Amino acid sequence: MALVRIGLFELLNPPEVPGFWGSGLKGRDASLGAVEPYPTIIRMRLVPEEILALIFAFVREGVPRTRLKSDLEHDQAQAIAIRPLSETCKRFRRICLPYLFEAAIFDGSGLASRRRTATLVSVLREDSNIAQLARRVRIAHWRQTSSTRDSTVWGNLSMAFGQMSGVRYVEIRDAAVVWELFDHLQALPRLEDLSLTSASVWGSTAQHGSSQHLFGALKRLKLLPTQVGLEFYQASEFITPSLQSLHTNTTLLQNITSIQQIFPHFPDSLCELAVTSTSEPRSQESTVLHGLLNLCPGLESLRFPLALSLFHVSNNQTLYPLDGQILRLKSFEGRSDQALLCCGGRPVDTLCINLFPTDVTIENRPNLLRPGSIPLRHLRLDGIRWKMNTMAFISRHCPELRSLRVCATAKDGIVWMLQPMPRLQQASFLVGGLAWYGDECTADHYIGLLQGSYNVWPKLENLRLHPSYRWKRPRRNFGWSRVSGREDEDDWRSGVGETGRSGYEMLGIANY
């Protein structure tokens, strides 16, 4: 960062040079005709602020995500990366302000973090112009305490929320917040994403009574409570007329009556439901889940991120029928037996199977490759045991496949992947999170594989065979280039599918 400051100082204070662009003579005598102009120097005051803003945004977005553990740490690292630019001059600070305060982080994990949070809260409360720059708010690792300083922070934060009219995303994770904070949250006019993970509220429910929370613009809601904070959710009503995506867990699925109390009106716009299992499945949870599906007839995406089945009644492993439910389903993520149960007769074109029981394989259950009424376009297979003829089965039963992602537990024998798939655009093959062919594979082997793939995968644009990099072929160009980055950094949005969203985005992998 010191080198960045020195370089910017030199650009702001360039040496005096003849002419506008520094044209002049140096080195040899001008009379000999050998003219060497000075290096081109652009004065920073001549560069438009729009160009500088793009450069600063590039510096900020250049922070690698793979070295960080959470989105909160990533936002903190981005602010640290842009801070030296904001300290260079007044002009740079004015340009950097939207990037510095785009993510407002209130972290209570340590004494130093609490002090930074108290300072940030004071700034946001005193300067409404800075408060309006915030787009994301993250509150994490706050515990109930009787400290006067913490009480002052919460009071100032509640007042600051009244001025943060531009906030679109709020996350409260592993924190105990004041009840009044939710009154300010529902006053945010542009709030679209709300994530409550292990969140609880100070004080007793009896003291505040039933609380109704109206979020008119909210589109995505994530409720992952624990038993400690469950009382708050049971005493709350979430009115979300524009809700499109709901992510919850089995802790909230106590009974259908409590679900209807928390969500008295499920909107017709709800098209995505994700349920994370926090314990072994019980018949009560299965019954509530079926009741929840009845309340959401317009679902197009159903996800079970963890591989516990929620459709088993008891020890006899009987499956509930889903006749007349989720008839519009287009995307599914879950176990292989759940896929056969939920996707039958429905227009599913995006499938993610995250667990294969020992007795289930692609070869003995070929209907897994076409569980719905139309051919698959996007397929992800996790935990599969790859065999010699697995790729042949996929190419035969999925002729319309656009994207394929495989994370196998093991592979048997020599695997020849190049089966004809004329529409395949994105492909990823890993074994246990490691390279498909092993680190000992030579570059010549990869080059030969890439050249041979053109004949059978003519539209392929991205191919990953190693966890640390992928091969990319730009459109209208037959050359391949190696791009560093792990799989969770891949950008699969380059025109995959007819809706403009990739299969991985539709599976909920790109977002939370």
Side-chain angles (χ1 to χ4, degrees):
M1 292 302 176
L3 295 177
V4 172
R5 294 185 184 181
I6 294 174
L8 291 173
F9 179 81
E10 292 178 351
L11 289 174
L12 289 170
N13 302 275
E16 294 296 331
V17 292
F20 182 78
W21 295 108
S23 58
L25 303 180
K26 73 172 186 178
R28 299 181 183 179
D29 186 24
S31 62
L32 300 178
V35 179
E36 293 185 10
Y38 285 103
T40 301
I41 297 177
I42 303 177
R43 296 179 182 270
M44 293 302 294
R45 58 185 173 85
L46 301 177
V47 180
E49 291 192 1
E50 292 80 0
I51 302 299
L52 292 177
L54 292 176
I55 297 174
F56 297 167
F58 178 80
V59 173
R60 177 177 173 274
E61 296 299 329
V63 176
R65 184 180 292 271
T66 54
R67 299 179 183 177
L68 306 171
K69 297 180 180 180
S70 64
D71 293 336
L72 184 145
E73 292 177 343
H74 186 251
D75 285 341
Q76 289 177 332
Q78 285 185 327
I80 292 174
I82 204 70
R83 189 174 300 157
L85 294 174
S86 68
E87 298 173 352
T88 302
C89 62
K90 293 182 178 179
R91 187 188 185 197
F92 279 19
R93 178 169 178 78
R94 184 176 66 254
I95 300 174
C96 289
L97 276 180
Y99 302 115
L100 281 175
F101 293 95
E102 180 179 0
I105 300 174
F106 308 104
D107 186 10
S109 58
L111 181 60
S113 299
R114 287 174 177 264
R115 289 176 177 174
R116 286 194 297 266
T117 296
T119 303
L120 176 60
V121 169
S122 300
V123 171
L124 295 177
R125 181 190 175 187
E126 296 173 1
D127 195 331
S128 60
N129 293 327
I130 292 181
Q132 292 176 3
L133 297 176
R135 296 295 180 265
R136 299 190 304 276
V137 174
R138 301 186 188 277
I139 303 175
H141 311 302
W142 282 90
R143 294 301 181 188
Q144 182 176 0
T145 175
S146 58
S147 172
T148 304
R149 181 185 183 90
D150 288 347
S151 301
T152 303
V153 169
W154 282 116
N156 293 337
L157 178 59
S158 299
M159 295 180 184
F161 260 102
Q163 305 179 105
M164 301 167 69
S165 58
V167 172
R168 290 181 169 86
Y169 174 80
V170 174
E171 178 189 23
I172 303 177
R173 176 183 293 272
D174 192 23
V177 299
V178 294
W179 191 286
E180 292 75 15
L181 182 64
F182 285 87
D183 296 332
H184 295 281
L185 285 180
Q186 58 186 334
L188 298 176
R190 300 181 181 179
L191 183 62
E192 296 181 353
D193 286 11
L194 178 60
S195 176
L196 305 178
T197 303
S198 302
S200 58
V201 178
W202 291 6
S204 63
T205 306
Q207 178 181 355
H208 300 276
S210 178
S211 178
Q212 186 180 83
H213 306 295
L214 174 62
F215 299 96
L218 195 67
K219 296 181 180 179
R220 289 167 289 274
L221 177 61
K222 186 176 183 180
L223 299 179
L224 301 179
T226 60
Q227 291 293 340
V228 176
L230 188 60
E231 183 182 7
F232 161 72
Y233 299 93
Q234 293 175 342
S236 300
E237 292 183 3
F238 289 85
I239 310 298
T240 54
S242 303
L243 190 64
Q244 298 178 4
S245 175
L246 174 63
H247 185 183
T248 184
N249 59 11
T250 54
T251 302
L252 203 62
L253 301 180
Q254 300 292 332
N255 54 72
I256 192 62
T257 304
S258 64
I259 292 294
Q260 291 176 334
Q261 290 176 350
I262 299 173
F263 300 99
H265 304 287
F266 269 93
D268 296 334
S269 58
L270 186 64
C271 59
E272 180 179 359
L273 175 64
V275 179
T276 301
S277 183
T278 57
S279 61
E280 290 297 327
R282 296 174 294 181
S283 59
Q284 180 184 8
E285 297 169 355
S286 301
T287 306
V288 175
L289 179 59
H290 276 264
L292 184 58
L293 295 181
N294 283 327
L295 297 175
C296 311
L299 283 181
E300 298 180 0
S301 176
L302 187 59
R303 299 173 46 228
F304 302 117
L306 296 184
L308 292 177
S309 178
L310 296 176
F311 295 102
H312 290 167
V313 179
S314 60
N315 295 331
N316 57 8
Q317 301 295 297
T318 303
L319 295 178
Y320 274 113
L322 292 178
D323 298 335
Q325 295 178 313
I326 53 176
L327 297 179
R328 303 178 186 177
L329 192 65
K330 297 180 180 179
S331 174
F332 179 81
E333 176 184 356
R335 290 165 47 114
S336 57
D337 54 348
Q338 294 173 344
L340 295 175
L341 175 68
C342 297
C343 301
R346 295 166 177 84
V348 176
D349 63 358
T350 302
L351 178 64
C352 171
I353 301 179
N354 53 30
L355 178 65
F356 285 85
T358 56
D359 58 338
V360 177
T361 63
I362 292 294
E363 291 77 13
N364 62 19
R365 298 285 181 88
N367 54 344
L368 280 174
L369 297 179
R370 187 169 178 172
S373 58
I374 62 175
L376 291 176
R377 294 176 181 268
H378 312 284
L379 177 63
R380 172 184 169 186
L381 302 173
D382 289 348
I384 186 176
R385 186 174 182 86
W386 196 266
K387 298 183 179 180
M388 291 285 292
N389 56 350
T390 302
M391 195 66 191
F393 270 81
I394 295 177
S395 62
R396 185 186 311 161
H397 294 278
C398 305
E400 301 291 329
L401 207 62
R402 265 71 166 176
S403 62
L404 174 63
R405 176 178 173 180
V406 175
C407 186
T409 56
K411 59 178 183 177
D412 298 333
I414 300 175
V415 180
W416 183 249
M417 299 184 309
L418 300 182
Q419 298 289 334
M421 302 184 73
R423 300 182 183 274
L424 189 65
Q425 299 178 21
Q426 322 284 349
S428 174
F429 298 90
L430 298 176
V431 180
L434 303 177
W436 186 263
Y437 288 108
D439 294 333
E440 67 277 0
C441 184
T442 63
D444 293 338
H445 179 83
Y446 281 115
I447 293 175
L449 181 65
L450 294 172
Q451 292 176 347
S453 66
Y454 177 73
N455 297 324
V456 288
W457 299 343
K459 293 188 178 182
L460 188 67
E461 298 175 5
N462 288 278
L463 176 62
R464 176 176 292 277
L465 299 171
H466 196 280
S468 300
Y469 60 86
R470 61 185 169 94
W471 297 94
K472 181 179 180 180
R473 181 179 63 185
R475 294 180 178 180
R476 302 182 182 89
N477 187 358
F478 299 104
W480 288 91
S481 60
R482 176 171 159 173
V483 181
S484 300
R486 302 192 64 83
E487 192 170 22
D488 54 2
E489 295 180 337
D490 286 349
D491 185 5
W492 302 96
R493 295 173 293 179
S494 55
V496 180
E498 298 177 355
T499 62
R501 293 199 306 167
S502 72
Y504 298 136
E505 288 180 304
M506 296 176 68
L507 290 172
I509 300 171
N511 300 321
Y512 59 83

